[in-house]
Structures are given as C-alpha cells and as structure tokens.
Amino acid sequence: MTTVNLHLQQVKEQTAESMEEMWVNMGPQHPSTHGVLRLLIKLDGEVVRECIPYMGYMHRCHEKIGENRAYVQIIPYTDRLDYLASMYNNWAYCLACERLMGIPIPERAEYLRVLIGELQRIASHLIWLGTFGLDLGNFTLFMWCFREREMILDLFEAVSGQRLNYSFMRIGGLALDVPEGWLGDVKAFLQWFKPRLPEYDRLSTDNIIWQKRIQGVGILTPEDAVSYACSGPVLRGSGIRWDLRKNDPYGIYDRFEFDIPVGTSGDVWDRFWVRRQEMDQSVRIVEQALTEIPPGPVLAPVAKKLRAPVGDIYSRVESPRGELGDYIVADGSEKPYRYKVRAPTFVNLSALPVMLPGYLVADAVAVLGSVDIVLCEVDR
Amino acid sequence: MWRYLRELWGGFWSIILSMQITLRYLFTRAVTVQYPEEKRQLPVRALTRHVLTIDLDSKELKCTACDMCARICPANCIHLEGEGKGKARRPKWFVIDHNLCMYCNLCVEVCPFDAISMYTGMYELGGFSRTSLVYDMETMHADGFYPTIMSPRSPAGAGVKAPPPAGAGKQARKA
Ligand code: SF4
Ligand code: SF4
C-alpha cells in the first residue's frame, strides 16, 4: 500500500464516512454544456458513477404561448425552439397545420423545402461538429465549420432576410420564392463545400488523438436507445436504422435517393461518424433537388384567417437532432386548443444518465457534446 | 513499451499532418470582415428596421391605418390610431416597439397597401434606453424609395436597388 492510500485510509477511519464518492455540479454556467444545463454528477475519484440532468432553466412557455396565438402567428415562435435548425422547426409546424387543415402544397414549394431543409441539416451538423471539436480541444475545426456554416447562413439570408430565426415557411408553402440566381449560388456553395469535407476528415476523423479520445466512450446500447425513445443520430449511432425521411416519408423525400448511415457500437465515435456521413447524404439530396426543381408558385392559396377543423394531429419530421413532432388539438377556432412539441433533444438528453456512468469525468464533456443538445428546445 | 512509443509517435504524426493542412490557410485571404470599418453588402431581403413607405409623387404615407399589421403581429408591438374616413383615412400616430419585434415579416406580408417595409438595411439600432427603440411615425417615415415585397425593384425597373448604406440609419431619417 502506498503512502497516499495509507493516508486516505486513515482519513476515512477518522471521519467515519465514505471519501470515495461525491456529488459535483457541472453547470448551469459550464462552458461546455452548450447553454444553461445543470448536470449533477456523482464522482468516484475521476469516474462518473451517476448523472442527473436538471433542465428547465430556459423555459419560455412555448406551448402556452402557442395556445394564445393564431395559427400563422405561431410560426415565428417555432424558430426559437431549435435555433440552430429554425427552418426545420418551421417546416415541422407548418406540415402539422397543413395535414390538419388538408392544404396541398405546390410542387416547387415542396422541392424548395427539401433543399432548404437539407442545407439546414448541413448547417446544423456543421455547428455541432465545430462545437464538438471545441469540446475536445480542436479549435481549428470549430473555425472551419463556422466558416462554411456562415456561407449557408448567407444563402438563407438572401432568401428569408434572417440569419438565425428565419420564419420563412408558411402554412401552405413558403413565404416568398427564392431570389433570382439563388439556385446558382447553392450550386457554387456545394462546389466549395464538397472538397472541404475530406479536409475536416483529415483534421478530425484521421487524427489518432481524436480517435483515441472518443472511441469506446459513452456507449448507448440499442436496447437502451429504443427504450429511452431516442431518435436521430443518437439512435442511428447505436445501430438502429430509423430515419423518418425513409420510414415515414413526409414532403417528397420518397423521391430522393440517399442512404442512412448507422453506427455499430453506439459510442461517441459512432454518433460523430453518423453525423459526418449525413452531411454527405444531405449534399446528395440537395444536388438531386437542384436538378429536378420545377417552376411554379410557392404558396398555395390559403385563407387569410386560417381555421382548423375540429380534430387533432400528430405530425413528425426528422430534424437534424431527431424526431421533431408537433401535436395540435383544434377546436374549430383560429387558435389551437392544445399545442405540444415533442423535442428530440429533450428525449435524447434523458438518455444521458445511462451513457455517462463508468467513464471519466473528462469524457463527460465529449459524451454530452455527442448528444447534440440545444437547450432552447430542451426547455421550450 | 513499444506500443506506448508507437502511439506517442502516431499522436505526433497526426499533429504534424493537421499542421500541414492548416498551414495552407496562413496564405489565403481571410473570410472575416473588420466590422465597424468594413460593412457587408446586405441582400435586398435582409429584414431590418421598419419603414413606412410613401407614394413617390405626393410624398404621402401609403398607410391607411387599416390595423391589419397590428392584428397579425405575434409580439403585439405595433400600435396605431387612424383618423379620417374612407379614402382619406390616415394614421394619427403609429408606433412600433422594436424591443419586442421578432423580425418575422408577417406585418409586411399582410399589408394590403404595400405601406410598410423591412427591406431598409438599417440594422444598427443600438441605443442607451429602451424608449430609444420605440419608433414613431416621423422616424419611420420613408424619405424615398424602399424595396418592398410587392415591389422589390426600383420604380424605374432598372434592376435591384441596393438598400441605402447601413448606419445612415436613424439620424439621416430624422433630419
Ligand atoms: S397593414 Fe399596412 S396599411 Fe394597414 S395599418 Fe398596417 S401599414 Fe397601414
Ligand atoms: S416583424 Fe413581426 S414582430 Fe415585428 S412588428 Fe412585424 S409582425 Fe410584429
């Protein structure tokens, strides 16, 4: 027995209390929790034994606000859920309303939605990759990802006038058609972006330090992933091929050819690799959409004052973070009677307590980063 | 022991490789803009501060105080009162509280008279008090042509008019 252990033994005997485990707060102001999240972690030396995530610091009564607004007025509020993928939130909400009211969408709007949605997925994964790199100490990757994301934001600014909270989709299509030459800009962006992906790879995927850091950490078994109702890359990283774009196609996703990357072991590496490959697939979808996009109107003729028939709907889309569902109960008036959002990150974050135990506290940051949380969506 | 050395070398090697890639960027142009000195050219659709557009001939506000924008605004930040009847109806006062505005463009889309626009390029709205962000009719009164949703082109039809240089903003409008 070394002297240190001997000393510990003595202290333990004196205090008659276990010195081995203690509770530590990580957050709410921890820089790597991507927002205001408090993790209560039980530590045994450096090893995490238990983890309890505390959420709700950013609760904004999104659903209650929605019950007091007309259907159109809710659209700007949906931006503020997952602000890194606002277009997708718009889409999810508008799709739910369209299904509820039975509004068909023009063909061009469908294509543009897919195109914009996939660009948004790339942008969202880029910011994830960047901040994940930052968590692991890879600052260059962060800068590069932001550079390309900035280009996508420029594209979005040209169509919607906003860089973050777009409010661009409307019930029945899109607010406006894209400006002239915009599709050419998208092509130019893809030209620039495609050679960048292997560059990221050389900086991250092929880097031995990066591999060693995240392989075999934060394992989420397929059974746990399913029983915690995880979705998106977290679920696919555990090896389950479940993507709503294929399994429950919405919009016109059934017309495009793309693969669904899945992981094998469910560790942080798999979740990283799934997202990294999804960027390739999104590029593929955008390219197909660019070649097939038809001319025509982008907004179906809808009444100024939208009233939904009595009924309810649950409609879901595959947002960059997982299954984003909107549940709307309509009572025939201008406002929803009940409006509920199923936030993918909220559900995925709930699985953190089964991913963390048994790993070092230094890995906690990597595991948390791999879940890809946006706390505005978690807390709503 | 050998494994340890090999891993050590592997780590070093990947650092060197990464350095090689990043080194190239030392010699390329920076993508950033030195903001207060240099300014980006905003796209025409950039949603910025509201302006109440005018009829270019008579220099009168186009707004007829129909209250549509105030009713659609989700943040409830537009307040106005009209006076006059029928065609002569004009706003008596018109206030937009930009502390609350979400820049969603709904008020512009709903306006039947093309009387309000957010394609103004005025984005430097910082102030020292909350009231400095509450804009009244005089401040928002347009001094010339501004692109709108219905007429994104200049009245002459000669291509897209770039928004006026940002930052000419509030002061110029007031003068
Ligand atoms: S909708 Fe247009 S015309 Fe009506 S009050 Fe608003 S700005 Fe004026
Ligand atoms: S942009 Fe939206 S929030 Fe702002 S005044 Fe217009 S409707 Fe209201």
Side-chain angles (χ1 to χ4, degrees), chain A residues 73 157 159 162 177 199, chain B residues 25 40 45 72 74 103 109:
Chain A
Q73 291 179 329
E157 192 183 18
V159 291
Q162 293 276 39
D177 202 346
E199 225 167 59
Chain B
Y25 282 93
R40 280 174 65 232
R45 283 190 189 174
I72 193 113
Y103 295 87
E109 272 169 40

Side-chain angles (χ1 to χ4, degrees), chain B residues 84-100:
Chain B
K85 281 264 166 323
K87 282 227 160 132
R89 193 173 159 81
R90 286 287 174 270
K92 198 156 96 194
W93 51 268
F94 192 117
V95 169
I96 300 186
D97 185 351
H98 279 73
N99 293 305
L100 302 176

Side-chain angles (χ1 to χ4, degrees), chain A residues 79-220:
Chain A
D79 289 334
R80 275 92 184 152
L81 286 174
D82 178 355
Y83 50 82
L84 297 180
S86 300
M87 287 287 188
Y88 244 96
N89 289 266
N90 287 174
W91 191 358
Y93 172 72
C94 292
L95 194 72
C97 287
E98 282 150 10
R99 282 179 173 165
L100 183 64
M101 301 172 195
I103 300 171
I105 316 159
E107 193 80 338
R108 185 174 170 84
E110 290 275 28
Y111 272 96
L112 282 175
R113 276 186 180 185
V114 168
L115 202 151
I116 289 171
E118 289 309 313
L119 281 177
Q120 179 73 83
R121 189 184 305 276
I122 296 175
S124 167
H125 283 351
L126 275 177
I127 200 171
W128 171 78
L129 184 60
T131 48
F132 186 57
L134 195 61
D135 289 346
L136 300 182
N138 194 339
F139 192 72
T140 318
L141 193 61
F142 174 73
M143 283 303 184
W144 286 6
C145 290
F146 264 68
R147 180 187 61 198
E148 267 75 60
R149 173 175 177 265
E150 218 36 42
M151 293 177 183
I152 298 181
L153 295 196
D154 283 344
L155 289 174
F156 284 166
E157 192 183 18
V159 291
S160 71
Q162 293 276 39
R163 294 179 73 78
L164 203 60
N165 296 319
Y166 310 106
S167 309
F168 186 55
M169 304 212 179
R170 294 283 179 274
I171 299 167
L174 302 175
L176 295 164
D177 202 346
V178 295
E180 275 168 49
W182 188 77
L183 296 176
D185 290 349
V186 175
K187 263 186 211 138
F189 165 72
L190 289 182
Q191 283 291 326
W192 161 264
F193 181 61
K194 273 195 281 179
R196 297 285 92 73
L197 283 169
E199 225 167 59
Y200 299 157
D201 275 349
R202 286 179 61 194
L203 208 57
S204 58
T205 321
D206 303 342
N207 191 319
I208 291 172
I209 302 170
W210 178 278
Q211 291 173 1
K212 290 251 175 252
R213 183 82 202 272
I214 60 177
Q215 272 169 351
V217 174
I219 292 176
L220 180 69

